[in-house]
Amino acid sequence: MAQAPKSLMSLDEAWSRLSESLNHLLSTEAQEEVLSDQALGRVLAQDIVSPVDVPPHDNSAMDGYAVAKADLAALAQPGSTLVVAQRIAAGQMGAALQAGTCARIFTGAPIPEGTGAVVMQEHVEAVSEGLVRFTEPVKPGQNIRCRGEDIASGSKVLTQGDRK
């Protein structure tokens, strides 16, 4: 004798069971920390907030010459010359810029106090030892990456629930 078919569960019961299963899957009770190279396919249990600014300080976006704010008006027209007073490599902190001087600066190097712009090296030519001429107009703020421009300290960089 054939058995009578089991009755189907109600829609409300199906939703309830599905919801319980999802809540278990989405629970953050079993969260664990893993290295980023082990996070592929995982789901973030909480927002990730940056503890630092990126970049950590105003810096040069390219190799070139940092020029003083005081000289920007004169440098708006090509042909002006300045004395190269210092050289600033990435990781070095330069001295404050004085009017009439510039600093040879490299990509990522911190911008010295008083800097108004960084001029790419292709727009500068050596006139003599320690003296350079600017061949293109200089615009205030050009080629300076500001502190926190990419990521500001305290900002959310990854969102809870994202799968990575």
Side-chain angles (χ1 to χ4, degrees):
M1 176 176 216
Q3 288 185 340
K6 291 184 179 179
S7 63
L8 297 175
M9 75 174 75
S10 71
L11 182 58
D12 287 341
E13 185 178 348
W15 275 118
S16 176
R17 287 186 182 187
L18 183 59
S19 178
E20 286 175 25
S21 296
L22 288 176
N23 285 337
H24 175 71
L25 289 174
L26 297 177
S27 169
T28 59
E29 292 173 12
Q31 62 180 298
E32 60 182 318
E33 287 188 26
V34 297
L35 298 173
S36 57
D37 65 346
Q38 298 170 344
L40 185 63
R42 293 178 177 254
V43 177
L44 286 172
Q46 62 190 32
D47 292 340
I48 304 296
V49 175
S50 178
V52 297
D53 287 322
V54 177
H57 46 71
D58 292 353
N59 68 52
S60 178
M62 61 187 49
D63 293 350
Y65 292 83
V67 297
K69 290 176 186 174
D71 294 319
L72 288 175
L75 292 169
Q77 298 298 318
S80 295
T81 59
L82 293 174
V83 173
V84 181
Q86 58 184 309
R87 180 181 186 276
I88 308 168
Q92 293 180 328
M93 189 61 82
L97 285 180
Q98 303 301 314
T101 70
C102 63
R104 179 71 168 113
I105 194 164
F106 297 90
T107 305
I111 297 296
E113 185 180 326
T115 298
V118 172
V119 180
M120 63 180 4
Q121 64 187 7
E122 293 84 356
H123 295 165
V124 179
E125 59 187 19
V127 174
S128 63
E129 185 66 32
L131 188 66
V132 293
R133 177 181 296 117
F134 295 83
T135 61
E136 298 288 327
V138 178
K139 297 180 181 125
Q142 72 184 34
N143 303 315
I144 294 176
R145 294 180 56 229
C146 296
R147 177 182 180 161
E149 182 176 310
D150 297 330
I151 301 171
S153 176
S155 67
K156 182 174 22 173
V157 292
L158 297 171
T159 303
Q160 177 184 5
D162 284 353
R163 181 181 292 266
K164 297 297 168 197

